[in-house]
């Protein structure tokens, strides 16, 4: 799937076509209010998309850098933070507005398109984060362990929260209801809200220390 990025306009095409591999089973589960299944399908899809992007990055780093939307700017930003200890990752006043913007766009796109464009946005975010992970892993002598380390814990929680939220917010359009929220939906939205809060709190508290940890991994490989 990441190879779509090498086509003309592929950096935009890749996130737009990525949900096609998930859409049939995801939308069916959401219509049936089987949110656990929809969540599981979404998590597996995001994991495979990330793994494919990481492998693509390690095998063809230059091609991946141009094929994946926002890949190089994000990689440069993250490596600068790791190497210097200075960057947006350490500053809640800088990263909070960006995260909230992503969250707001995700909510609107998911609700307005029955989940499809929300998944496309998620694919774009997972894409450039995975490009950084693949680049970081390639810079060390232990690519698998380094890849697991570079997918920082709060980013993983964020992905899980977005999948949970998207599973619920996709349903109204899919079943032609304006709202259609019951106890089951509110429960899943509550779990998503907890995940988003954990993500933001952990990043605010632990990002500087985690950046030092990643820097040590790079220094050991040097």
């Amino acid at each position: 799937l990441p190879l779509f990025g090498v086509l003309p306009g592929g950096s935009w095409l890749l996130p737009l076509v990525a949900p096609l591999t998930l859409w049939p089973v995801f939308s069916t589960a959401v219509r049936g209010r089987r949110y656990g299944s929809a969540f599981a399908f979404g998590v597996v899809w995001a994991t495979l998309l990330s793994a494919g992007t990481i492998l693509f990055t390690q095998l063809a780093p230059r091609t991946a850098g141009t094929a994946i939307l926002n890949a190089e700017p994000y990689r440069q930003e993250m490596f600068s933070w790791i190497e210097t200890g200075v960057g947006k990752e350490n500053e809640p006043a800088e990263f909070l507005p960006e995260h909230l913007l992503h969250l707001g766009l995700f909510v609107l796109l998911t609700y307005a398109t029955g989940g499809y464009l929300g998944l496309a946005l998620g694919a774009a975010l997972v894409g450039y984060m995975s490009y950084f992970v693949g680049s970081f892993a390639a810079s060390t002598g232990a690519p698998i362990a380094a890849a697991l380390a570079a997918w920082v814990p709060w980013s993983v929680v964020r992905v899980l929260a977005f999948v949970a939220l998207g599973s619920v917010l996709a349903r109204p359009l899919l079943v032609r209801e304006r709202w259609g929220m019951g106890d089951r939906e509110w429960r899943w939205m509550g779990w998503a809200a907890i995940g988003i809060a954990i993500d933001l709190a952990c990043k605010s508290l632990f990002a500087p220390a985690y950046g030092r940890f990643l820097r040590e991994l790079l220094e050991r490989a040097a």
Side-chain angles (χ1 to χ4, degrees):
L1 188 61
L3 294 177
F4 272 97
V6 304
L7 298 175
S11 61
W12 291 95
L13 179 64
L14 174 57
L16 288 174
V17 302
L20 290 174
T21 57
L22 170 67
W23 185 249
V25 292
F26 177 83
S27 59
T28 299
V30 169
R31 286 190 187 95
R33 300 181 77 199
R34 293 184 286 110
Y35 299 118
S37 296
F39 176 79
F41 291 141
V43 170
V44 170
W45 170 78
T47 302
L48 293 176
L49 179 62
S50 178
T53 303
I54 292 169
L55 182 61
F56 181 32
T57 300
Q58 293 183 342
L59 294 177
R62 291 187 179 180
T63 304
T66 57
I68 299 168
L69 191 66
N70 195 40
E72 264 302 301
Y74 186 74
R75 184 198 67 81
Q76 293 173 13
E77 176 185 312
M78 292 297 287
F79 269 84
S80 176
W81 165 62
I82 292 168
E83 292 165 358
T84 67
V86 177
K88 183 168 59 180
E89 295 295 297
N90 291 354
E91 303 295 336
E94 294 186 32
F95 70 70
L96 275 172
E98 181 177 80
H99 285 333
L100 293 176
L101 174 62
H102 290 164
L103 176 61
L105 285 173
F106 180 79
V107 167
L108 290 174
L109 290 173
T110 299
Y111 185 79
T113 65
Y116 192 89
L117 287 184
L119 292 171
L121 175 61
L125 299 177
V126 168
Y128 67 68
M129 288 192 288
S130 298
Y131 175 79
F132 154 69
V133 171
S135 299
F136 181 87
S139 301
T140 72
I144 296 177
L148 292 174
W151 255 114
V152 296
W154 49 86
S155 294
V156 174
V157 172
R158 187 185 319 147
V159 172
L160 297 176
F162 272 46
V163 173
L165 185 61
S167 298
V168 173
L169 292 180
R171 189 170 186 271
L173 185 66
L174 291 175
V175 297
R176 303 295 190 270
E177 292 182 3
R178 185 169 296 180
W179 185 237
M181 294 292 177
D183 290 343
R184 188 182 306 177
E185 286 75 19
W186 284 114
R187 185 163 57 251
W188 275 93
M189 290 183 72
W191 285 116
I194 290 171
I196 291 166
I198 290 173
D199 163 35
L200 297 178
C202 287
K203 186 170 183 175
S204 299
L205 293 171
F206 304 124
Y210 207 88
R212 291 192 294 271
F213 164 65
L214 293 178
R215 183 163 66 249
E216 289 174 4
L217 292 181
L218 286 179
E219 291 171 350
R220 289 175 194 168

